[in-house]
Amino acid sequence: MRSTSRRVALVSGFLRPDALAVIRVRDRLIALFIERDLGSERGEALGEKIRRYRLVFARDPELPVNVGFVVESERRVRTVHAQAEGQRVVASAVTVLTAIDEQLRRDPLGGLWSDGNRGRLTRDLPALAAVASGPILTPGCLADGDTLAALDDRGATLLPALKPFLRT
């Protein structure tokens, strides 16, 4: 069933995450932009994607945003983190993470995300202070026809800190 809610663009399609997970843990909200990586993009393309996230969220360098690349292998983990290290030219609080698909599927909340130095459980990722409770979003809320450039406006209400980055 398709949502009839209004859709908003995340910085005019400049960022096109495969998914946005908003995870509430007690009084914190974790914003986790998911990039599903099948290994088909060259390292330079990954670096450019990471640079765009950091550039966009540099407007608020204190905003804790997590960008999680779900990859197939340890080799790809190293490639993503090497590219992330090379894209530190902009000050932002974007944390680039990786998780191996098979491990994450077994336990999504208990799965480990690596920042290149250490592993963290999903519930221990950098977070925002939670506002009032909101709706539970369903799978597909980022879907908008053939593109993934739209964010269901309910996501914006859950994460008011993202509001300046949305284009209605």
Side-chain angles (χ1 to χ4, degrees):
M1 178 182 241
R2 187 174 181 141
S3 169
T4 58
S5 64
R6 182 175 59 97
R7 299 195 183 268
V8 293
L10 184 58
V11 288
S12 301
F14 190 62
L15 295 179
R16 297 174 125 181
D18 293 317
L20 170 62
V22 180
I23 305 157
R24 186 177 188 128
V25 179
R26 291 175 295 285
D27 62 342
R28 303 176 318 120
L29 284 177
I30 299 166
L32 178 59
F33 290 88
I34 305 288
E35 292 286 344
R36 181 60 175 101
D37 183 282
L38 298 174
S40 58
E41 288 182 315
R42 293 171 24 118
E44 297 80 25
L46 287 174
E48 177 59 21
K49 194 176 283 190
I50 293 165
R51 187 190 70 76
R52 283 194 311 259
Y53 274 102
R54 288 186 171 149
L55 183 65
V56 166
F57 292 109
R59 290 191 293 182
D60 185 352
E62 302 298 315
L63 182 64
V65 172
N66 302 284
V67 178
F69 287 83
V70 179
V71 300
E72 295 294 320
S73 68
E74 286 292 337
R75 180 174 183 226
R76 194 61 171 180
V77 164
R78 291 188 297 276
T79 300
V80 170
H81 288 295
Q83 289 298 319
E85 197 58 39
Q87 296 297 329
R88 292 198 178 271
V89 293
V90 180
S92 75
V94 171
T95 302
V96 175
L97 304 159
T98 54
I100 296 180
D101 180 59
E102 179 185 323
Q103 296 168 0
L104 199 57
R105 283 180 190 268
R106 271 187 266 146
D107 187 3
L109 290 177
L112 284 180
W113 291 91
S114 171
D115 63 7
N117 295 313
R118 66 184 176 111
R120 302 179 194 184
L121 296 173
T122 303
R123 62 182 161 262
D124 295 330
L125 297 177
L128 302 158
V131 292
S133 64
I136 295 175
L137 304 182
T138 58
C141 68
L142 277 177
D144 184 30
D146 296 328
T147 71
L148 292 174
L151 173 64
D152 188 306
D153 65 339
R154 293 173 296 172
T157 62
L158 286 174
L159 291 168
L162 288 182
K163 195 165 183 103
F165 303 100
L166 303 176
R167 190 176 142 253
T168 56

